[in-house]
Amino acid sequence: MKKKSIIMRVLTMIAMGLLLSVTIVAAKTDVGAASKTVAYTPDMSNGADNFYKSNKVNMKKVSFENQYKMKVAGNLFIPKGLKKKTKNPAIIVGHPMGAVKEQSANLYAQKMAEKGFVTLSLDLSFWGESEGQPRNAVSPDIYAEDFSAAVDFLGTRPFVDRNRIGVLGICGSGSFAISAAKIDPRMKAIATVSMYDMGAANRNGLKHSQTVEQRKKILEEAAEQRYVEFTGGKTKYTSGTVHELNKNSTEIEREFYDFYRTPRGEYTPKGQLPALTTHPTLTSNVKFMNFYPFEDIETISPRPMLFIAGENAHSKEFSEEAYRLASEPKELYIVPGAGHVDLYDRVNLIPFDKLESFFKENLKKK
C-alpha cells in the first residue's frame, strides 16, 4: 500500500511537470493564443453580411487603365431592368485601407445598385486584382488617381450620365476620395463612411497619441529598411490587422480581427498570402506622413459632402475634423451605437437610406 502510494505520488509529480513544461512552451510560442484563435466565433450581429449577393443586380468584372498605365480592376453592378438607352447616375465605391473590393465595397456597391444607381467597386492599385508592384505598396497619389480613372471609365459608358457621378469611400478610401475630389470636379457628390485620414493617423496616431519622436523612429526604421530591400533583402511589412488575439489585445485590434481574420470578412486575393493581407510595406507606408487630404477640402464646395461615422467609432475624430474644415453644403451623420468596423458590413446599422437620399438629391438631373 505504501509502495503504491509512493508510485502514485511520483506519477502525479511527473504529470505536474509535464503540464508546467507545456504551459511554458505555450507561453513562449503563443500556442495558447493560437488555440483561442481556432475557437474564436465572429460577431455576426446586426445583420453582418460582408459577402452579400444581390439577386436584383447584374455584376460584371471590369478593368481599365489609370494615367500611369496600370490596370485597375473593379466590379460593375447594374440594376436589373436598367434602361441602358438612358443616361443613369453612378457611384464609385472604394474599399477600406489594406482591404480589397470584396471587403465592404462590394456590399455597399450592390446595396446602392439596388436603389437604382450604376455602381463600381474597385481595387486600389497594388491591392487585390489591380496592378502595381510591389504588392501592398502605399501611394496616396496613385490611389486618388484610381478614383479619377474610375470616373474616366464610368463616364464613357453609354448608359452613364458623366455629369452625375458620385464617390463613396469607406475607411481609408474616404480620405483618398476626398484627395481625388479636390482636383477632379467630375465627382459631383462625395460621401465617406468610417473615414480614416490616413495621413493624420500615421503622423499623429489616434487622438494625437503619437509623439514626433515616435514618428521619427518609424521614419528611421523605414529608411534603413530601404537599404535592405535595395540590396535584395526581404520586404518588411507593417501595421494591418493582427493574426492572433491574446489577453493583451486592444479593443481596436479585436474589432479589426473580428472582420479581417474570421469568416465574417476574411478574403485572400488570388496570388496573395493570408499572412500578408491588410499589411502595407514598411518602406512605402511612411508616404502617408506626407498625405494631407483635408488641406483645401473647402475648395470642393459647392459640391456636397456627407460624412458618416459611428457614435462609438475610434475613428470618429477624422469625420468630425473633415466636417469642421469643409465648406457648405456638408453634413455629419452619426450612427447611434455603431463602432468603426460595424459600418463595414452590419446592414442593420449602415444607413443605406441616408446614402440613397444624399446621392439621389445630388446626382439628379438638372
Side-chain angles (χ1 to χ4, degrees):
M1 192 75 177
K2 188 175 180 181
K3 184 177 181 182
K4 189 174 182 181
S5 176
I6 293 172
I7 292 173
M8 288 299 295
R9 198 175 300 173
V10 170
L11 289 174
T12 300
M13 289 177 69
I14 292 172
M16 288 180 68
L18 287 172
L19 179 61
L20 179 61
S21 64
V22 169
T23 302
I24 292 172
V25 171
K28 288 183 177 179
T29 60
D30 286 330
V31 171
S35 65
K36 290 178 184 176
T37 299
V38 172
Y40 186 90
T41 302
D43 179 1
M44 301 299 291
S45 64
N46 285 299
D49 198 1
N50 177 69
F51 297 106
Y52 174 73
K53 298 292 183 184
S54 175
N55 59 8
K56 299 177 182 178
V57 305
N58 292 317
M59 189 274 278
K60 180 182 179 182
K61 295 183 77 67
V62 299
S63 65
F64 46 90
E65 286 189 342
N66 62 23
Q67 283 197 326
Y68 301 103
K69 302 304 178 184
M70 299 164 66
K71 184 192 79 173
V72 178
N75 289 333
L76 182 66
F77 297 97
I78 300 175
K80 289 183 178 179
L82 182 87
K83 296 178 181 178
K84 291 192 177 182
K85 291 185 178 180
T86 64
K87 299 287 188 178
N88 299 277
I91 303 170
I92 300 157
V93 184
H95 57 73
M97 176 60 205
V100 291
K101 61 185 178 302
E102 288 78 11
Q103 292 167 312
S104 194
N106 276 352
L107 168 63
Y108 274 78
Q110 289 178 90
K111 289 291 186 179
M112 297 311 294
E114 288 179 346
K115 296 179 181 298
F117 300 94
V118 174
T119 61
L120 173 67
S121 63
L122 71 158
D123 280 330
L124 295 174
S125 292
F126 309 102
W127 299 89
E129 295 178 288
S130 288
E131 290 183 342
Q133 293 292 336
R135 303 310 293 165
N136 298 19
V138 167
S139 181
D141 284 348
I142 294 179
Y143 295 166
E145 163 59 25
D146 292 339
F147 278 91
S148 285
V151 177
D152 297 338
F153 173 78
L154 285 174
T156 53
R157 301 309 96 187
F159 48 88
V160 171
D161 186 341
R162 64 173 56 181
N163 294 312
R164 299 161 66 200
I165 298 175
V167 291
L168 168 57
I170 304 160
C171 186
S173 275
S175 59
F176 309 144
I178 289 172
S179 179
K182 288 192 298 184
I183 58 174
D184 194 337
R186 299 175 301 170
M187 301 176 190
K188 302 300 184 183
I190 299 91
T192 68
V193 177
S194 286
M195 177 172 57
Y196 249 79
D197 174 347
M198 294 306 302
N202 279 273
R203 283 189 300 275
N204 309 319
L206 293 171
K207 301 186 186 303
H208 290 257
S209 58
Q210 181 170 276
T211 66
V212 173
E213 286 306 311
Q214 289 172 318
R215 183 197 307 176
K216 287 181 177 180
K217 286 184 179 179
I218 294 170
L219 293 174
E220 288 169 4
E221 181 186 0
E224 287 301 313
Q225 179 64 21
R226 289 183 66 110
Y227 284 128
V228 173
E229 294 175 19
F230 185 79
T231 54
K234 289 185 178 180
T235 301
K236 193 170 184 178
Y237 298 84
T238 187
S239 58
T241 302
V242 299
H243 293 266
E244 294 180 351
L245 294 181
N246 56 51
K247 63 181 182 180
N248 297 318
S249 298
T250 67
E251 285 305 309
I252 294 176
E253 286 176 330
R254 294 175 186 278
E255 183 181 6
F256 281 113
Y257 178 95
D258 193 77
F259 182 80
Y260 286 112
R261 302 301 179 208
T262 75
R264 175 182 162 197
E266 194 281 329
Y267 185 87
T268 302
K270 185 178 180 181
Q272 180 65 285
L273 297 173
L276 297 183
T277 58
T278 78
H279 298 293
T281 63
L282 172 65
T283 57
S284 70
N285 196 63
V286 294
K287 290 179 171 60
F288 278 138
M289 302 288 189
N290 279 340
F291 181 48
Y292 294 84
F294 298 167
E295 193 168 287
D296 295 330
I297 190 174
E298 72 278 3
T299 62
I300 292 175
S301 176
R303 288 173 289 154
M305 303 191 74
L306 170 64
F307 308 102
I308 296 175
E311 177 186 22
N312 303 321
H314 64 263
S315 59
K316 186 169 67 169
E317 62 179 290
F318 301 124
S319 294
E320 292 174 334
E321 178 69 358
Y323 174 77
R324 184 183 71 82
L325 294 171
S327 295
E328 297 288 353
K330 62 181 179 179
E331 182 177 359
L332 176 62
Y333 186 90
I334 302 299
V335 181
H340 175 85
V341 179
D342 286 336
L343 298 184
Y344 282 13
D345 67 332
R346 299 196 192 284
V347 295
N348 295 346
L349 293 176
I350 298 170
F352 288 114
D353 289 344
K354 180 63 181 178
L355 287 165
E356 177 185 17
S357 62
F358 172 76
F359 283 116
K360 281 192 172 177
E361 172 61 29
N362 296 296
L363 296 180
K364 64 184 178 184
K365 287 183 179 180
K366 295 182 179 178

Short mmCIF file of all heavy atoms in Angstrom, two decimals, residues 48 96 104 108 170-171 193-194 196 241 251-260 264 310 312-315 338-346 349-350:
data_model
loop_
_atom_site.label_atom_id
_atom_site.label_comp_id
_atom_site.label_asym_id
_atom_site.label_seq_id
_atom_site.Cartn_x
_atom_site.Cartn_y
_atom_site.Cartn_z
N ALA A 48 -24.61 41.35 -40.00
CA ALA A 48 -23.31 41.36 -40.68
C ALA A 48 -23.37 40.48 -41.92
O ALA A 48 -23.69 39.30 -41.85
CB ALA A 48 -22.22 40.87 -39.72
N PRO A 96 -11.88 49.78 -47.70
CA PRO A 96 -11.02 50.23 -46.58
C PRO A 96 -9.55 50.06 -46.91
O PRO A 96 -9.17 49.24 -47.76
CB PRO A 96 -11.44 49.31 -45.43
CG PRO A 96 -12.83 48.89 -45.76
CD PRO A 96 -12.85 48.76 -47.26
N SER A 104 -16.36 44.90 -47.87
CA SER A 104 -17.17 46.10 -47.64
C SER A 104 -17.60 46.79 -48.93
O SER A 104 -18.76 47.14 -49.10
CB SER A 104 -16.42 47.09 -46.73
OG SER A 104 -17.29 48.07 -46.25
N TYR A 108 -21.55 47.58 -50.28
CA TYR A 108 -22.10 48.91 -50.49
C TYR A 108 -22.51 49.11 -51.95
O TYR A 108 -23.57 49.70 -52.23
CB TYR A 108 -21.08 49.98 -50.10
CG TYR A 108 -21.09 50.35 -48.63
CD1 TYR A 108 -20.50 49.54 -47.67
CD2 TYR A 108 -21.69 51.53 -48.20
CE1 TYR A 108 -20.49 49.89 -46.33
CE2 TYR A 108 -21.69 51.89 -46.86
CZ TYR A 108 -21.09 51.07 -45.93
OH TYR A 108 -21.11 51.42 -44.60
N ILE A 170 -14.89 54.21 -48.10
CA ILE A 170 -15.02 53.58 -46.80
C ILE A 170 -13.65 53.53 -46.13
O ILE A 170 -12.65 53.18 -46.76
CB ILE A 170 -15.59 52.15 -46.94
CG1 ILE A 170 -16.92 52.18 -47.69
CG2 ILE A 170 -15.76 51.48 -45.58
CD1 ILE A 170 -17.31 50.84 -48.30
N CYS A 171 -13.58 53.93 -44.86
CA CYS A 171 -12.34 53.93 -44.09
C CYS A 171 -11.28 54.75 -44.81
O CYS A 171 -11.50 55.91 -45.14
CB CYS A 171 -11.89 52.49 -43.84
SG CYS A 171 -10.46 52.34 -42.74
N VAL A 193 -17.61 56.91 -45.22
CA VAL A 193 -18.14 56.10 -44.13
C VAL A 193 -16.98 55.59 -43.29
O VAL A 193 -16.00 55.04 -43.83
CB VAL A 193 -18.96 54.91 -44.66
CG1 VAL A 193 -19.44 54.03 -43.51
CG2 VAL A 193 -20.15 55.38 -45.50
N SER A 194 -17.06 55.79 -41.98
CA SER A 194 -15.98 55.36 -41.07
C SER A 194 -14.62 55.83 -41.59
O SER A 194 -13.65 55.08 -41.60
CB SER A 194 -15.98 53.84 -40.91
OG SER A 194 -17.04 53.40 -40.12
N TYR A 196 -11.01 57.21 -42.29
CA TYR A 196 -9.69 57.39 -41.68
C TYR A 196 -8.95 58.42 -42.51
O TYR A 196 -8.86 58.28 -43.73
CB TYR A 196 -8.90 56.09 -41.73
CG TYR A 196 -8.65 55.42 -40.40
CD1 TYR A 196 -9.64 54.65 -39.78
CD2 TYR A 196 -7.40 55.51 -39.78
CE1 TYR A 196 -9.40 54.01 -38.59
CE2 TYR A 196 -7.16 54.87 -38.58
CZ TYR A 196 -8.17 54.11 -37.99
OH TYR A 196 -7.92 53.47 -36.79
N THR A 241 -3.84 44.19 -39.68
CA THR A 241 -4.62 43.50 -38.65
C THR A 241 -3.83 42.35 -38.04
O THR A 241 -3.20 41.57 -38.77
CB THR A 241 -5.93 42.96 -39.25
OG1 THR A 241 -6.66 44.04 -39.81
CG2 THR A 241 -6.78 42.27 -38.19
N GLU A 251 -8.89 46.78 -27.77
CA GLU A 251 -10.25 46.72 -28.33
C GLU A 251 -10.24 46.98 -29.83
O GLU A 251 -11.02 46.39 -30.58
CB GLU A 251 -11.16 47.73 -27.62
CG GLU A 251 -11.57 47.31 -26.23
CD GLU A 251 -12.23 45.94 -26.19
OE1 GLU A 251 -13.17 45.71 -26.98
OE2 GLU A 251 -11.79 45.08 -25.40
N ILE A 252 -9.37 47.88 -30.27
CA ILE A 252 -9.30 48.18 -31.70
C ILE A 252 -8.75 46.97 -32.46
O ILE A 252 -9.25 46.63 -33.54
CB ILE A 252 -8.43 49.43 -31.96
CG1 ILE A 252 -9.12 50.66 -31.36
CG2 ILE A 252 -8.18 49.63 -33.45
CD1 ILE A 252 -8.31 51.93 -31.46
N GLU A 253 -7.74 46.30 -31.90
CA GLU A 253 -7.21 45.08 -32.53
C GLU A 253 -8.30 44.02 -32.63
O GLU A 253 -8.44 43.35 -33.66
CB GLU A 253 -6.04 44.54 -31.73
CG GLU A 253 -4.76 45.35 -31.87
CD GLU A 253 -3.64 44.85 -30.99
OE1 GLU A 253 -3.93 44.29 -29.89
OE2 GLU A 253 -2.47 45.01 -31.37
N ARG A 254 -9.09 43.88 -31.59
CA ARG A 254 -10.17 42.89 -31.58
C ARG A 254 -11.24 43.24 -32.61
O ARG A 254 -11.79 42.36 -33.28
CB ARG A 254 -10.79 42.79 -30.19
CG ARG A 254 -9.85 42.24 -29.14
CD ARG A 254 -10.44 42.25 -27.73
NE ARG A 254 -9.46 41.83 -26.75
CZ ARG A 254 -9.16 40.57 -26.48
NH1 ARG A 254 -9.81 39.61 -27.11
NH2 ARG A 254 -8.23 40.27 -25.59
N GLU A 255 -11.51 44.53 -32.74
CA GLU A 255 -12.53 44.98 -33.68
C GLU A 255 -12.15 44.64 -35.11
O GLU A 255 -12.95 44.10 -35.88
CB GLU A 255 -12.71 46.50 -33.52
CG GLU A 255 -13.79 47.10 -34.39
CD GLU A 255 -13.90 48.61 -34.20
OE1 GLU A 255 -13.06 49.20 -33.48
OE2 GLU A 255 -14.83 49.19 -34.79
N PHE A 256 -10.90 44.92 -35.49
CA PHE A 256 -10.44 44.62 -36.84
C PHE A 256 -10.27 43.12 -37.05
O PHE A 256 -10.60 42.59 -38.12
CB PHE A 256 -9.12 45.34 -37.13
CG PHE A 256 -9.29 46.80 -37.47
CD1 PHE A 256 -8.81 47.78 -36.62
CD2 PHE A 256 -9.94 47.19 -38.63
CE1 PHE A 256 -8.96 49.13 -36.92
CE2 PHE A 256 -10.10 48.53 -38.94
CZ PHE A 256 -9.62 49.51 -38.09
N TYR A 257 -9.77 42.43 -36.04
CA TYR A 257 -9.59 40.98 -36.13
C TYR A 257 -10.93 40.30 -36.43
O TYR A 257 -11.00 39.38 -37.26
CB TYR A 257 -9.01 40.44 -34.82
CG TYR A 257 -8.83 38.93 -34.80
CD1 TYR A 257 -7.60 38.36 -35.12
CD2 TYR A 257 -9.88 38.09 -34.44
CE1 TYR A 257 -7.44 36.98 -35.10
CE2 TYR A 257 -9.73 36.72 -34.44
CZ TYR A 257 -8.51 36.16 -34.76
OH TYR A 257 -8.36 34.79 -34.75
N ASP A 258 -11.98 40.74 -35.77
CA ASP A 258 -13.29 40.11 -35.92
C ASP A 258 -13.77 40.16 -37.36
O ASP A 258 -14.51 39.28 -37.81
CB ASP A 258 -14.32 40.81 -35.02
CG ASP A 258 -15.61 40.02 -34.90
OD1 ASP A 258 -15.63 39.03 -34.15
OD2 ASP A 258 -16.60 40.39 -35.58
N PHE A 259 -13.33 41.18 -38.10
CA PHE A 259 -13.73 41.29 -39.51
C PHE A 259 -12.71 40.62 -40.43
O PHE A 259 -13.07 39.77 -41.24
CB PHE A 259 -13.88 42.76 -39.89
CG PHE A 259 -14.33 42.97 -41.32
CD1 PHE A 259 -15.66 42.84 -41.68
CD2 PHE A 259 -13.41 43.30 -42.31
CE1 PHE A 259 -16.08 43.02 -43.00
CE2 PHE A 259 -13.81 43.50 -43.62
CZ PHE A 259 -15.14 43.35 -43.96
N TYR A 260 -11.44 40.99 -40.31
CA TYR A 260 -10.44 40.57 -41.30
C TYR A 260 -9.87 39.18 -41.10
O TYR A 260 -9.32 38.60 -42.03
CB TYR A 260 -9.29 41.57 -41.31
CG TYR A 260 -9.62 42.88 -41.98
CD1 TYR A 260 -9.70 44.06 -41.24
CD2 TYR A 260 -9.86 42.94 -43.35
CE1 TYR A 260 -10.01 45.26 -41.86
CE2 TYR A 260 -10.17 44.15 -43.98
CZ TYR A 260 -10.23 45.30 -43.22
OH TYR A 260 -10.54 46.49 -43.83
N ARG A 264 -16.24 36.15 -41.14
CA ARG A 264 -17.10 37.32 -41.30
C ARG A 264 -16.65 38.18 -42.48
O ARG A 264 -17.47 38.67 -43.25
CB ARG A 264 -17.09 38.16 -40.01
CG ARG A 264 -17.86 39.46 -40.11
CD ARG A 264 -17.77 40.26 -38.82
NE ARG A 264 -18.12 41.65 -39.02
CZ ARG A 264 -17.84 42.63 -38.19
NH1 ARG A 264 -17.20 42.35 -37.06
NH2 ARG A 264 -18.18 43.88 -38.45
N GLY A 310 -19.70 56.14 -36.94
CA GLY A 310 -20.38 55.51 -35.83
C GLY A 310 -20.22 56.32 -34.55
O GLY A 310 -19.17 56.93 -34.32
N ASN A 312 -19.70 55.31 -31.64
CA ASN A 312 -18.64 54.77 -30.79
C ASN A 312 -17.36 54.47 -31.58
O ASN A 312 -16.47 53.79 -31.06
CB ASN A 312 -19.13 53.48 -30.12
CG ASN A 312 -20.39 53.71 -29.31
OD1 ASN A 312 -20.54 54.74 -28.65
ND2 ASN A 312 -21.31 52.75 -29.35
N ALA A 313 -17.26 54.98 -32.78
CA ALA A 313 -16.11 54.68 -33.63
C ALA A 313 -14.84 55.35 -33.12
O ALA A 313 -14.83 56.54 -32.81
CB ALA A 313 -16.38 55.12 -35.07
N HIS A 314 -13.76 54.58 -33.05
CA HIS A 314 -12.48 55.16 -32.63
C HIS A 314 -11.97 56.16 -33.67
O HIS A 314 -11.11 56.98 -33.38
CB HIS A 314 -11.44 54.06 -32.40
CG HIS A 314 -11.10 53.26 -33.63
ND1 HIS A 314 -11.68 52.05 -33.93
CD2 HIS A 314 -10.23 53.51 -34.63
CE1 HIS A 314 -11.19 51.59 -35.05
NE2 HIS A 314 -10.30 52.46 -35.51
N SER A 315 -12.50 56.08 -34.88
CA SER A 315 -12.08 56.95 -35.98
C SER A 315 -12.96 58.19 -36.14
O SER A 315 -12.73 58.98 -37.07
CB SER A 315 -12.12 56.15 -37.29
OG SER A 315 -13.46 55.67 -37.51
N ALA A 338 -22.98 52.56 -33.15
CA ALA A 338 -22.08 51.88 -34.09
C ALA A 338 -20.62 52.21 -33.82
O ALA A 338 -20.28 53.34 -33.44
CB ALA A 338 -22.44 52.26 -35.52
N GLY A 339 -19.76 51.22 -34.04
CA GLY A 339 -18.32 51.43 -33.98
C GLY A 339 -17.77 51.63 -35.38
O GLY A 339 -18.52 51.76 -36.35
N HIS A 340 -16.46 51.61 -35.49
CA HIS A 340 -15.81 51.84 -36.79
C HIS A 340 -16.10 50.70 -37.77
O HIS A 340 -16.68 50.91 -38.84
CB HIS A 340 -14.30 51.98 -36.58
CG HIS A 340 -13.52 52.11 -37.85
ND1 HIS A 340 -13.33 53.31 -38.49
CD2 HIS A 340 -12.89 51.17 -38.62
CE1 HIS A 340 -12.62 53.12 -39.59
NE2 HIS A 340 -12.34 51.82 -39.67
N VAL A 341 -15.72 49.48 -37.40
CA VAL A 341 -15.86 48.34 -38.31
C VAL A 341 -17.32 47.90 -38.46
O VAL A 341 -17.68 47.28 -39.46
CB VAL A 341 -14.97 47.17 -37.83
CG1 VAL A 341 -15.10 45.95 -38.75
CG2 VAL A 341 -13.50 47.61 -37.79
N ASP A 342 -18.15 48.27 -37.50
CA ASP A 342 -19.59 47.95 -37.63
C ASP A 342 -20.14 48.41 -38.97
O ASP A 342 -20.98 47.75 -39.58
CB ASP A 342 -20.39 48.63 -36.51
CG ASP A 342 -20.21 47.96 -35.16
OD1 ASP A 342 -19.86 46.77 -35.13
OD2 ASP A 342 -20.41 48.64 -34.14
N LEU A 343 -19.65 49.56 -39.43
CA LEU A 343 -20.19 50.13 -40.66
C LEU A 343 -19.55 49.55 -41.92
O LEU A 343 -19.85 49.99 -43.02
CB LEU A 343 -20.05 51.66 -40.64
CG LEU A 343 -20.82 52.35 -39.50
CD1 LEU A 343 -20.71 53.87 -39.63
CD2 LEU A 343 -22.29 51.93 -39.48
N TYR A 344 -18.70 48.55 -41.75
CA TYR A 344 -18.17 47.84 -42.91
C TYR A 344 -19.22 46.90 -43.50
O TYR A 344 -19.30 46.75 -44.72
CB TYR A 344 -16.95 46.99 -42.52
CG TYR A 344 -15.66 47.73 -42.33
CD1 TYR A 344 -15.59 49.12 -42.24
CD2 TYR A 344 -14.46 47.02 -42.22
CE1 TYR A 344 -14.38 49.77 -42.05
CE2 TYR A 344 -13.24 47.66 -42.03
CZ TYR A 344 -13.21 49.04 -41.94
OH TYR A 344 -12.01 49.67 -41.76
N ASP A 345 -19.99 46.25 -42.60
CA ASP A 345 -20.83 45.16 -43.11
C ASP A 345 -22.13 44.91 -42.35
O ASP A 345 -22.93 44.07 -42.76
CB ASP A 345 -20.03 43.86 -43.11
CG ASP A 345 -19.69 43.37 -41.70
OD1 ASP A 345 -19.59 44.21 -40.78
OD2 ASP A 345 -19.54 42.14 -41.52
N ARG A 346 -22.37 45.61 -41.26
CA ARG A 346 -23.59 45.34 -40.48
C ARG A 346 -24.76 46.11 -41.11
O ARG A 346 -24.98 47.28 -40.82
CB ARG A 346 -23.38 45.74 -39.02
CG ARG A 346 -22.25 44.97 -38.34
CD ARG A 346 -22.32 45.08 -36.83
NE ARG A 346 -21.11 44.60 -36.19
CZ ARG A 346 -20.79 43.31 -36.03
NH1 ARG A 346 -21.59 42.37 -36.51
NH2 ARG A 346 -19.66 42.97 -35.43
N LEU A 349 -27.13 48.40 -39.35
CA LEU A 349 -26.62 49.65 -38.81
C LEU A 349 -26.25 50.65 -39.91
O LEU A 349 -26.34 51.86 -39.71
CB LEU A 349 -25.38 49.39 -37.94
CG LEU A 349 -25.60 48.63 -36.63
CD1 LEU A 349 -24.26 48.38 -35.94
CD2 LEU A 349 -26.52 49.40 -35.69
N ILE A 350 -25.83 50.15 -41.04
CA ILE A 350 -25.39 51.03 -42.14
C ILE A 350 -26.58 51.84 -42.65
O ILE A 350 -27.61 51.26 -43.02
CB ILE A 350 -24.78 50.22 -43.29
CG1 ILE A 350 -23.54 49.46 -42.80
CG2 ILE A 350 -24.41 51.13 -44.46
CD1 ILE A 350 -23.00 48.44 -43.79
#
